Amino acid sequence: MIRVKIMACGLNFADLLMCQGKYQDTPEPPFTLGMEVAGVVDALGPDTDGPAVGSRVAVFGGQGGLAEYGCFPANRAVLLPDDMRFDDAAALQIAYGTSHLALDYKARLQPGETLLVLGAAGGVGLTAVEIGHAMGAKVIACARGAEKLEVARRAGADHLIDAASEDIRERVRALGGADVVYDPVGGDQFKAAFRACNPEARLLPIGFASGDVPQIPANHLLVKNLTVMGLYWGGYLAFKPEVVTDSLATLLSWHREGRIKPHVSHALPLAQAGDGLELLRSRKSTGKVVIRPHE
């Protein structure tokens, strides 16, 4: 184990689900929220060789991040470049990791294909826009309102759909249909996207922020040769951890090259962690909300 002085903790929609006991990996209470952190190693446990004290690291701990210090398994720590901000590192692991695994490892997104991203201004959705753009796809971003759509446009979206006022299915079909659908929303938006898919499209249910888990008609999958691919990023740590570590290495390289740049809409002190969670619940944030325990 290592002890980390936590400089930044990224909040996620899963933290809200944990509060309700609805997340697939909700720990046994009592526990401390905060799944991903960045900070400095300040102590090593018995029989732990490293990372060395003083190392700058990012850690996916699954819990324990909303604190000034936390103890985490040493093999979960990823060394950070000296010039990488803690806020960026705390914002990168889950959101970018999920989108990169989904689009690269699972869907095999190809240059020139059309990627439809639902919830495109949220924590994971915005990273899917950015990564899809970096992979050479034509990106259609779907979000509610002009302000959020502008955030998606700046992240690399080629086309914008306002989910509050436009017909998603008709707009996507008019743009040539979707080859890959990235969906952290669920509900009616998934149903509309499903009906706008091209033959052999791949659909990625990432989450259900709408609260509605859609039921998928298997006969439609058959007729259009569609593939639905579930993805739970944290699950790979249990049975195929090298997939996650390889992905994170790629993302850190992309960050160093300037190909991706985490968007942090709010950075708050630990005393305002509740306000940060409310920003997620009310969907008033874009990109990531980060808590700084030592501010």
Side-chain angles (χ1 to χ4, degrees), residues 2 5 8 28 85 100 106 109-110 169 184 206 212 218 224 230 242 244 246 256 272 276:
I2 58 173
K5 182 179 181 180
E28 192 70 27
R85 299 189 318 138
H100 186 251
K106 296 286 282 190
L109 179 67
Q110 299 299 308
R169 178 194 179 195
I206 302 299
D212 180 1
K224 294 182 75 173
E242 68 277 7
V244 173
D246 289 348
R256 191 163 49 246
Q272 293 180 243

Side-chain angles (χ1 to χ4, degrees), residues 223-249:
V223 171
K224 294 182 75 173
N225 288 291
L226 303 180
T227 302
V228 179
M229 303 174 171
L231 179 91
Y232 168 41
W233 181 82
Y236 276 96
L237 291 169
F239 71 93
K240 217 171 185 181
E242 68 277 7
V243 171
V244 173
T245 54
D246 289 348
S247 172
L248 287 176

Side-chain angles (χ1 to χ4, degrees), residues 29 61 74 78 125 135 141 193 245 247 286:
V78 178
M135 294 177 68
T245 54
S247 172
T286 55

Side-chain angles (χ1 to χ4, degrees), residues 93-113:
Q93 294 178 89
I94 296 175
Y96 280 91
T98 295
S99 293
H100 186 251
L101 278 194
L103 297 177
D104 183 62
Y105 181 76
K106 296 286 282 190
R108 306 295 183 189
L109 179 67
Q110 299 299 308
E113 288 191 311

Side-chain angles (χ1 to χ4, degrees), residues 84-96:
M84 188 173 190
R85 299 189 318 138
F86 288 121
D87 283 4
D88 286 356
L92 185 139
Q93 294 178 89
I94 296 175
Y96 280 91

Side-chain angles (χ1 to χ4, degrees), residues 93 140 202:
Q93 294 178 89
I140 304 172
R202 291 87 76 200

Side-chain angles (χ1 to χ4, degrees), residues 17-81:
L17 296 178
M18 283 188 189
C19 291
Q20 303 167 27
K22 295 181 179 179
Y23 190 59
Q24 58 262 31
D25 272 348
T26 299
E28 192 70 27
F31 63 92
T32 300
L33 293 173
M35 302 175 70
E36 56 183 337
V37 304
V40 179
V41 177
D42 86 321
L44 302 180
D47 302 319
T48 301
D49 296 328
V53 171
S55 298
R56 304 171 80 254
V57 295
V59 183
F60 171 75
Q63 59 172 303
L66 290 179
E68 294 180 341
Y69 294 83
C71 293
F72 305 100
N75 62 2
R76 294 283 186 94
V78 178
L79 291 173
L80 298 177

